[in-house]
Amino acid sequence: MIAPKSNHILELGSDAVRFEAVSKLTNVFYDDANRQVFSVRSGGTTGVVVKGLLDKTSYSFRMLDKGDVMSIKFSPDKKILSVQRGYKSIEFINFNGEPDNLEYSQGCRVKNMKILGFSWTHVNEIVFVMDKGIEHFQVIPEKHTLKSLKMYSVSVNWYVYHPESSLLLLSSGSLCNTMHPFQFRPGSAYKLSKFEIDLPAAPKTQKVSLLERDVSIGTVYNRTCIFVLRHQPRSAGMPGAEIAIYSMMKDGPPRKTDILRLDKSGRFAINVIDNIIVVHHQASKESMLFDIQIPCDSDGYISEHTSIVKCPIKPFMIKIPAMPSHSPTMEQEIGCELYSPNWVVFQPNIIIDPKLGYLWYVVMNNDPIIDIIKDKCLLIDFLLLRKNSKSLILKVCHDAILPGVSLPLFTLASIFDKLNVVYKHNLDLQKQDPKHSPQNISTYRPTMMIDQSDIYSHVFSVFESDNTNHKFAVSVLLEYIRSLIQYQQFVPHYLCKLLINILVQNKQFYQLHQFLQYQILNDSKQLVCLMLSLQGVYPPAYQLALDMLRRLQNSNEEIIEVLLSEKKVLQALSFIRSCGGVDNLSAQKYLAAAKQTADPRIFYSVYKFFEQRNIRLRGSPDFEVGEHCETFVKFFNNIYGNASFDGGLE
């Protein structure tokens, strides 16, 4: 049974991770690199439970009580457990299903430094972020020690780390808006060009500084982007908050490239799902979807975007134990609070409710969007950039040509062009050698390919019904063929066949003649066969088919067979003579064809034609034994003897 489709665009994934909620005895930590949640009871002495979405394996173990845990994370291979309990050192425990009994630690190598936090950059590599700099270490678990790889000195207020790109962003300065990015590679750390983040306009008496909670890092269309929430926009007269996007550049500091207009105030949180920037707004309990690849207002440097869609997250039901008066084994479902103040949002699409004890993936369903976005060209732009959207694109195109609700022809032409330009681009990429044609990873192009067979099977099937407006159908097919030709794509014979059948069924023979005569339709042998089959209802189709065959390369054999099938043996020989292929002809084949015409003049002309050829080649009119023409010689002598008919091969 097929499950009913949801009419909600956003929903919390059904494969949620349940964990022990925050309480007086339990603290909850999230490791965004491994996407795991840690429930730590009583500092670990009464148990640590680790659960994750990527790795369904859960871990449960105990640790020695050495004080409250400030942060806890696994190494990327989950073989080393790292724990921060204070500002002076980080503890390490080798892990193999259970923590090792022997712990080792690493402190600040410079006195009076305070460790703000740490992040694993690669397997067995970790970076300490301190108030006066960072230090990159290699962890050597078998020796229970750490080796310093690199140290940088810089004043740090707070930091943000993005595991996917191994990018560390440090905040410094009195307003916290001077940013120092660091890029990590296995065994190396690189300091990139620092930059400043613009702060919103504010009265001189009011000091506005950049807060850690207003900065996050995500990947959008292969670009590493820094999202900065500004509760007050810099532009005067623009109500509501905005998000400024700073994009990482290869040859320079990050540059502000986009602004998302939120037109609301309050608390916001950001997810990135399928390259869509989803901004959750707590007060209105709705989410705004932004696509920075969709055309928008731009001054050539900064693009300003408004939300494409505003929608709430689908209600999520959670199971709780039933009332005591009911059976203790029974559970009841209640709706959890959406956009809760307790929600903590992580990249790319994680939402955690620590008080409820739930971790979710936010998933996006594109199906309802096709009814929400009324501009179908914009809708196609949007869907071409989405994963697994092929069926939706074909549905939009199919519905666009339905009788009574069809789109204007110029809109359909624009849609066809959008599909074919993407198709051509991806075909060109497939033909390139990746070794000699490196792509700029910061440049994203749609990868959804809709080819000719998809359009024919799923869209133009509409034209097979009896109530089709043939003029509209012909116009749509011609627009699609025009678009294919414009983007240097092959026009398959089945599209031409569909067009010709519509014209023939509606007796539009003059239009058909024009299309073929002026080669609007691609010449093909399949089309020749179709035209030959139509000569009963439209006799000129026969000559049009022959003309098409003549234009096709290496089609002499087909032309000859067509002429012979129509009992036009003399015309076939005349065509062969014009091509210079008389000497190698099989006399038996053509004499048999001439005999089947039951016309004595044709047989006589063909027989004399081959006699003349024999005289020219061998000096004698006789046929050789290997030509197997004895029966035809006997037939000729029995019927005609030495008599002679006037006429011959013209």
Side-chain angles (χ1 to χ4, degrees):
M1 182 177 178
I2 300 175
K5 291 185 177 180
S6 170
N7 58 355
H8 287 82
I9 298 173
L10 297 176
E11 56 184 277
L12 303 176
S14 58
D15 56 343
V17 173
R18 294 290 308 273
F19 58 88
E20 187 175 343
V22 168
S23 65
K24 292 182 179 180
L25 296 177
T26 303
N27 288 327
V28 174
F29 302 91
Y30 178 68
D31 176 4
D32 57 352
N34 293 311
R35 299 185 188 177
Q36 292 176 316
V37 62
F38 289 74
S39 296
V40 182
R41 295 191 297 270
S42 303
T45 56
T46 57
V48 177
V49 179
V50 186
K51 294 183 177 181
L53 279 172
L54 296 179
D55 185 357
K56 296 300 182 181
T57 304
S58 62
Y59 304 95
S60 180
F61 53 89
R62 297 175 185 271
M63 298 189 304
L64 296 176
D65 185 4
K66 294 186 177 181
D68 292 337
V69 174
M70 297 172 59
S71 179
I72 181 169
K73 300 175 184 178
F74 270 125
S75 61
D77 60 1
K78 303 183 182 60
K79 292 184 178 180
I80 305 172
L81 182 66
S82 50
V83 184
Q84 181 179 1
R85 299 181 187 271
Y87 295 107
K88 294 300 181 182
S89 66
I90 307 293
E91 299 167 6
F92 297 89
I93 308 169
N94 293 345
F95 192 89
N96 186 16
E98 288 287 336
D100 193 15
N101 293 327
L102 181 60
E103 297 183 4
Y104 50 105
S105 66
Q106 177 67 49
C108 301
R109 294 198 303 146
V110 179
K111 290 183 178 181
N112 300 324
M113 276 195 180
K114 183 169 69 172
I115 299 176
L116 302 179
F118 66 94
S119 293
W120 288 90
T121 58
H122 295 91
V123 175
N124 293 356
E125 290 185 22
I126 194 169
V127 60
F128 289 7
V129 181
M130 298 162 286
D131 59 347
K132 296 179 182 178
I134 66 170
E135 188 162 8
H136 188 205
F137 290 97
Q138 178 187 3
V139 183
I140 308 173
E142 56 274 12
K143 294 184 178 180
H144 299 88
T145 186
L146 278 75
K147 174 185 175 183
S148 178
L149 299 176
K150 190 75 174 179
M151 185 173 183
Y152 292 95
S153 296
V154 59
S155 177
V156 181
N157 298 315
W158 47 261
Y159 75 98
V160 179
Y161 181 70
H162 186 231
E164 184 178 342
S165 61
S166 299
L167 178 69
L168 176 67
L169 200 61
L170 306 180
S171 161
S172 68
S174 59
L175 299 179
C176 303
N177 66 329
T178 301
M179 312 307 292
H180 302 267
F182 290 83
Q183 186 76 61
F184 291 89
R185 296 283 183 263
S188 304
Y190 304 94
K191 185 176 183 180
L192 308 180
S193 301
K194 70 176 182 179
F195 66 103
E196 285 196 358
I197 289 178
D198 297 334
L199 294 176
K204 293 182 179 180
T205 56
Q206 181 181 353
K207 181 181 178 181
V208 177
S209 60
L210 187 62
L211 304 178
E212 178 184 354
R213 70 185 184 195
D214 292 335
V215 178
S216 59
I217 306 175
T219 301
V220 185
Y221 292 119
N222 296 338
R223 285 192 294 171
T224 301
C225 298
I226 301 166
F227 305 114
V228 181
L229 173 62
R230 296 199 292 224
H231 295 277
Q232 296 296 328
R234 289 181 61 82
S235 304
M238 299 295 292
E242 66 184 23
I243 293 175
I245 299 178
Y246 291 77
S247 298
M248 297 298 295
M249 299 293 167
K250 281 189 172 182
D251 304 318
R255 181 173 64 83
K256 183 165 63 175
T257 55
D258 301 86
I259 291 178
L260 312 183
R261 298 292 182 194
L262 304 180
D263 299 330
K264 296 178 185 294
S265 300
R267 289 187 61 186
F268 299 91
I270 299 172
N271 280 137
V272 177
I273 308 171
D274 195 9
N275 293 310
I276 293 293
I277 301 170
V278 181
V279 183
H280 307 291
H281 184 229
Q282 183 188 343
S284 63
K285 295 188 181 298
E286 70 175 6
S287 302
M288 294 164 275
L289 276 58
F290 294 85
D291 189 343
I292 60 174
Q293 283 286 98
I294 295 295
C296 63
D297 295 334
S298 175
D299 60 2
Y301 297 95
I302 300 175
S303 300
E304 296 192 5
H305 307 267
T306 57
S307 62
I308 295 177
V309 175
K310 296 179 181 179
C311 58
I313 296 175
K314 179 183 178 181
F316 187 85
M317 306 302 291
I318 61 174
K319 294 181 179 181
I320 62 171
M323 297 295 291
S325 58
H326 295 80
S327 171
T329 60
M330 292 182 62
E331 292 182 324
Q332 62 178 349
E333 287 190 340
I334 63 169
C336 74
E337 181 185 1
L338 300 180
Y339 302 91
S340 166
N342 301 321
W343 276 12
V344 185
V345 177
F346 295 92
Q347 295 300 328
N349 59 336
I350 302 292
I351 291 180
I352 297 178
D353 191 324
K355 289 192 175 181
L356 196 61
Y358 269 85
L359 181 152
W360 297 280
Y361 270 139
V362 184
V363 295
M364 189 167 71
N365 171 29
N366 289 321
D367 289 16
I369 292 178
I370 64 176
D371 297 320
I372 295 174
I373 300 179
K374 302 304 180 183
D375 184 339
K376 299 308 176 185
C377 289
L378 176 64
L379 177 60
I380 292 295
D381 285 335
F382 178 87
L383 292 176
L384 280 170
L385 294 163
R386 308 282 75 81
K387 296 177 182 176
N388 305 318
S389 62
K390 188 171 188 174
S391 61
L392 289 179
I393 294 173
L394 293 173
K395 184 181 187 309
V396 171
C397 295
H398 175 274
D399 295 349
I401 61 174
L402 288 175
V405 293
S406 59
L407 296 178
L409 196 59
F410 68 88
T411 304
L412 292 171
S414 179
I415 289 175
F416 293 150
D417 287 346
K418 291 176 184 295
L419 299 180
N420 288 325
V421 71
V422 171
Y423 183 66
K424 179 181 185 301
H425 173 79
N426 286 290
L427 279 184
D428 292 344
L429 286 182
Q430 291 176 5
K431 295 175 184 176
Q432 292 179 1
D433 185 347
K435 295 181 180 179
H436 300 96
S437 303
Q439 280 188 274
N440 183 353
I441 61 170
S442 65
T443 302
Y444 184 90
R445 292 290 184 272
T447 57
M448 184 55 61
M449 296 175 66
I450 308 293
D451 62 19
Q452 298 93 319
S453 62
D454 295 324
I455 294 292
Y456 175 76
S457 302
H458 300 282
V459 179
F460 292 154
S461 56
V462 171
F463 296 146
E464 295 176 358
S465 62
D466 295 333
N467 61 342
T468 299
N469 182 330
H470 73 272
K471 292 183 178 180
F472 176 72
V474 169
S475 298
V476 171
L477 287 169
L478 285 177
E479 276 299 336
Y480 185 64
I481 291 172
R482 186 271 315 157
S483 181
L484 289 174
I485 295 172
Q486 179 176 337
Y487 293 101
Q488 302 163 8
Q489 300 305 307
F490 175 69
V491 180
H493 67 89
Y494 46 78
L495 280 178
C496 300
K497 181 179 179 181
L498 176 60
L499 177 59
I500 290 173
N501 285 338
I502 293 174
L503 291 170
V504 171
Q505 289 168 9
N506 293 277
K507 296 182 171 50
Q508 302 296 309
F509 296 117
Y510 177 75
Q511 197 172 6
L512 170 61
H513 198 110
Q514 295 290 98
F515 289 164
L516 294 170
Q517 186 174 3
Y518 294 104
Q519 301 178 44
I520 294 175
L521 304 180
N522 282 351
D523 293 342
S524 70
K525 293 179 181 179
Q526 294 92 338
L527 200 53
V528 168
C529 295
L530 176 61
M531 295 307 300
L532 290 173
S533 68
L534 295 175
Q535 62 178 315
V537 293
Y538 185 56
Y542 173 78
Q543 187 58 47
L544 290 170
L546 281 184
D547 293 341
M548 187 178 294
L549 272 175
R550 289 191 179 97
R551 292 193 296 269
L552 291 169
Q553 295 181 351
N554 303 320
S555 60
N556 291 349
E557 288 293 330
E558 286 83 356
I559 294 175
I560 294 167
E561 293 302 326
V562 168
L563 291 170
L564 291 179
S565 67
E566 294 295 317
K567 298 184 178 182
K568 297 184 178 182
V569 186
L570 299 181
Q571 290 91 328
L573 291 174
S574 179
F575 175 76
I576 295 169
R577 186 165 60 186
S578 68
C579 298
V582 173
D583 294 351
N584 298 320
L585 282 183
S586 167
Q588 179 191 21
K589 175 180 179 179
Y590 291 90
L591 289 170
K595 185 178 178 182
Q596 289 178 358
T597 64
D599 186 332
R601 289 179 176 271
I602 292 177
F603 185 81
Y604 180 85
S605 297
V606 173
Y607 189 89
K608 289 299 180 181
F609 171 82
F610 281 104
E611 276 192 340
Q612 292 170 9
R613 184 199 69 169
N614 294 341
I615 292 171
R616 180 170 53 81
L617 293 178
R618 297 188 292 271
S620 170
D622 298 334
F623 293 96
E624 292 184 337
V625 176
E627 292 185 273
H628 306 292
C629 293
E630 294 83 0
T631 56
F632 300 110
V633 173
K634 185 177 180 180
F635 178 78
F636 182 86
N637 291 332
N638 289 340
I639 301 299
Y640 307 116
N642 294 324
S644 176
F645 284 87
D646 293 332
L649 184 63
E650 297 293 334

